[in-house]
Amino acid sequence: MVAVPALRDSGWVIEERLTQLERRITRLERHAGFAVEPAPHPVPDEDSPPAPMAPPHAVAAPVTVERVKLSISTSEAVLKWAGIALVVLAAAFALGLAVERGWVTPTVRLLASGVVAAGLFLAGQRIRGRRRVFADTLQGAGFVVAYLTALGALVMGVVGGGTGFVAMITVTLAALLAAASLDSPPIAVLAVLGGLATPLLLESGIDDPVILGWYVPLMTVAGLAVFAWTGWRSVAVSTAGASWVLLVALLDHSQRPFVAVAVIAVGALLWLVPLLRTVLETRDRLAIRSSHVMEERLAPFLSRTTERLIHTAPIVTLLLLVPVLDLSRGQWSAVVAGTGALFACVAAALARPGLRDQAFVHVTVAAMLLAVGVAIALEGDVLLVALALQVAVLVVVGERLDHRPMRWQALVTLAIALVAVIARAADRGPAGPVETAEWVAEATVLGVAAWRAIADRRAEVRSLLSFSAHMVAVGWLLSVLSEPGLVVAAVGLYALTRLVEFAEMGDFQLSNRIHAAALVIGLWWFGSAQYAELLDSDVVRVGVWAVAPVTFAVWAWLDRRTRGDAIAAYAAVLGWIVLAAGTSDAWITTGWVVVGLAALAAGVRTSLSQVQVAGWSTLGLATTKLLLHDLESTDPLVRIALFFGIGLAFLALAYLLPTRIAPGDSRPESPVVAPHSGAR
């Protein structure tokens, strides 16, 4: 008799707490939908329960809101840049319309742009003490408008070419000085990019050899001077990237001696200035600059900028000199080995306390250049085999000694070998004649690349190696094989890389997607070419290309973690139907209808919406082709048969879907008739 009231009280308490929990969930959902951040002291509703009854874990609910919302800084950055871009575009459109209709002259338009630039800079300076990041944006936009004003004056013919060029350089240098005095890396990056883009925008000075003789090194000096004074690594990286891009873009537009001078000067600056900055930092000879939010956010990516520039400066410099200097193999070997000896001497000078890391970097570069110099002295196939052997030796020794620079040196050497394979393949052309020695040498390099892609334990390096080796192998196959052997080899390579990826021995995810897309595109291209009668019908081609959709389908069945193989198999089947049908529109439409009906039925049966969408899309494509193309291109009897057969197929599927194809729990139930019991 005592248990009943206790049970009744317990049930009442549970019901009361459930009611309270529902109220709290409703209130939290309301807060999550309308408030950006939860209030520190929320005001309870009138029907809120007393504080002691609140479960202690309820306060953890707002964490979900924090995970899904955008940060305030990100929202501000997007809004401000978008707003400024819209304002500048609106002003440009308004002024352009005014000039077009003769309301204002080009001079007045340029003066208005100058006023806008000055206004943006002054507005940013006014709020710099309160909103530093927003001030950087306004003032950076001001310099951009000023730079475009100078460019516009030149384009519209208000000033001459020399005056406009000087005006653009003046804006660039003013932006660099302002960035250094205002502690603003974004303005400095914009100035560097704008200054080095000036010759490309002008176009009139590209043929002048003086530009490459002194302008590019001068702008590199300006950017690196700001880096040496402030230590902003983003400015150093921007200067290096923009300088090299400009040299590559103008490589064929000037005289070779001036190009060589510019390339050597830029390479020496990008090597020595970061090195001297590091030496002075080690000896505490530089004042510490105030931190900036952009540098803080880029710190994980720019933490080893000096070491990376020391690694890349000599390599990029030598590569840019190759099309400029007409040297023999022996002379190039001496130049590369001499550069390696120079780095070895600098490494010996840096072998002292506090600078041993820089010394190790120079030792690595010296060893790499000396090895490449010796390899260049060799010829053709021997060179490729020598590079592959160097990679293998450097990897083994680097792992045994746990020497990270040596492992990176092996990666650089492998990259050089892969570039050499691609260059030889491009020179040979598609399915060009290849000798046995060439084939063996290039296959050796690809084998070493595949070994590194599978054996490397570092995830990022493995992904990069896998992608590079895979893409180079595909390009190499294009140069040594022709159809149908190329198709079989390409499909076999895809199956092999998928097997390695499935066994988690390599990271070929991205390259396999590109490979599958290339196979599907190739299948559709051959089908379209045969449909347009650009190629003759070939039964062997139809049979060989059938391997592609079968391979995709097998992997789609074996590995169900991703849908890539299933999508590739479906697209390949549709393309193969075009290839097999040749020029017959009726067979193409019929095949697409059959595949679409099968996909739709399978999607309904398995309750997979993606498969149903694929089926409906295919049926829509087939129906559109039937109504817009086959209606006029096919024979009347064939047209009747197509319409009639496809109509019957649609009706049959409509009949079978709810009764035979749909899952059992989704089918309509038969009415239940009560048994007749009779009357008594």
Side-chain angles (χ1 to χ4, degrees), residues 445-505:
V445 174
L446 292 175
V448 172
W451 164 60
R452 292 308 310 140
I454 296 174
D456 204 295
R457 295 187 298 269
R458 294 163 292 180
E460 296 180 358
V461 177
R462 173 186 289 188
S463 177
L464 179 61
L465 286 173
S466 301
F467 180 82
S468 302
H470 194 170
M471 293 296 98
V472 172
V474 173
W476 180 71
L477 288 176
L478 290 173
S479 68
V480 298
L481 296 176
S482 60
E483 192 192 12
L486 175 61
V487 177
V488 177
V491 175
L493 178 61
Y494 176 81
L496 183 61
T497 51
R498 274 299 274 120
L499 179 62
V500 174
E501 180 188 357
F502 182 73
E504 298 182 352
M505 299 172 59

Side-chain angles (χ1 to χ4, degrees), residues 321-333:
L321 288 175
V322 170
V324 176
L325 300 180
D326 188 11
L327 301 179
S328 63
R329 182 182 296 273
Q331 291 172 333
W332 272 117
S333 175

Side-chain angles (χ1 to χ4, degrees), residues 75-102:
S75 300
E76 179 184 4
V78 173
L79 289 174
K80 68 187 178 186
W81 281 110
I84 289 175
L86 291 175
V87 169
V88 172
L89 287 175
F93 292 152
L95 289 174
L97 180 62
V99 172
E100 181 182 353
R101 298 190 177 183

Side-chain angles (χ1 to χ4, degrees), residues 246-538:
L246 180 58
L247 289 175
V248 171
L250 305 180
L251 205 57
D252 297 330
H253 296 276
S254 186
Q255 299 178 12
R256 289 186 174 183
F258 293 96
V259 177
V261 170
V263 169
I264 294 173
V266 170
L269 288 170
L270 292 174
W271 165 44
L272 292 175
V273 173
L275 176 61
L276 294 176
R277 168 79 192 186
T278 303
V279 172
L280 294 177
E281 285 179 352
T282 305
R283 297 180 177 180
D284 296 329
R285 300 282 184 86
L286 296 176
I288 300 177
R289 305 283 294 189
S290 58
S291 180
H292 192 275
V293 61
M294 188 179 80
E295 288 291 308
E296 293 176 354
R297 293 183 177 180
L298 294 177
F301 307 98
L302 304 177
S303 59
R304 302 185 64 86
T305 298
T306 303
E307 292 82 355
R308 290 168 182 169
L309 286 177
I310 293 174
H311 275 115
T312 56
I315 298 173
V316 176
T317 302
L318 292 172
L319 291 177
L320 290 178
L321 288 175
V322 170
V324 176
L325 300 180
D326 188 11
L327 301 179
S328 63
R329 182 182 296 273
Q331 291 172 333
W332 272 117
S333 175
V335 169
V336 176
T339 307
L342 174 62
F343 271 76
C345 295
V346 175
L350 294 173
R352 59 187 64 187
L355 298 175
R356 295 190 182 277
D357 290 341
Q358 301 302 322
F360 277 121
V361 173
H362 282 76
V363 167
T364 304
V365 176
M368 179 190 64
L369 292 177
L370 289 172
V372 173
V374 174
I376 291 177
L378 304 176
E379 293 185 1
D381 306 322
V382 181
L383 170 61
L384 288 179
V385 176
L387 290 175
L389 293 178
Q390 288 180 29
V391 172
V393 172
L394 289 172
V395 168
V396 174
V397 176
E399 291 180 351
R400 291 289 181 87
L401 299 179
D402 194 17
H403 193 257
R404 183 177 180 183
M406 191 171 293
R407 293 198 296 266
W408 281 106
Q409 179 182 345
L411 294 178
V412 174
T413 307
L414 180 59
I416 295 173
L418 291 176
V419 170
V421 171
I422 287 296
R424 286 158 57 106
D427 183 66
R428 190 162 52 234
V434 56
E435 298 179 357
T436 304
E438 294 179 358
W439 195 94
V440 172
E442 294 167 355
T444 302
V445 174
L446 292 175
V448 172
W451 164 60
R452 292 308 310 140
I454 296 174
D456 204 295
R457 295 187 298 269
R458 294 163 292 180
E460 296 180 358
V461 177
R462 173 186 289 188
S463 177
L464 179 61
L465 286 173
S466 301
F467 180 82
S468 302
H470 194 170
M471 293 296 98
V472 172
V474 173
W476 180 71
L477 288 176
L478 290 173
S479 68
V480 298
L481 296 176
S482 60
E483 192 192 12
L486 175 61
V487 177
V488 177
V491 175
L493 178 61
Y494 176 81
L496 183 61
T497 51
R498 274 299 274 120
L499 179 62
V500 174
E501 180 188 357
F502 182 73
E504 298 182 352
M505 299 172 59
D507 187 2
F508 292 96
Q509 183 176 3
L510 178 59
S511 58
N512 273 329
R513 291 179 180 178
I514 298 176
H515 194 165
L519 287 174
V520 172
I521 293 173
L523 179 54
W524 273 90
W525 184 88
F526 275 103
S528 302
Q530 191 166 285
Y531 176 79
E533 297 183 353
L534 299 177
L535 295 175
D536 296 332
S537 299
D538 190 352

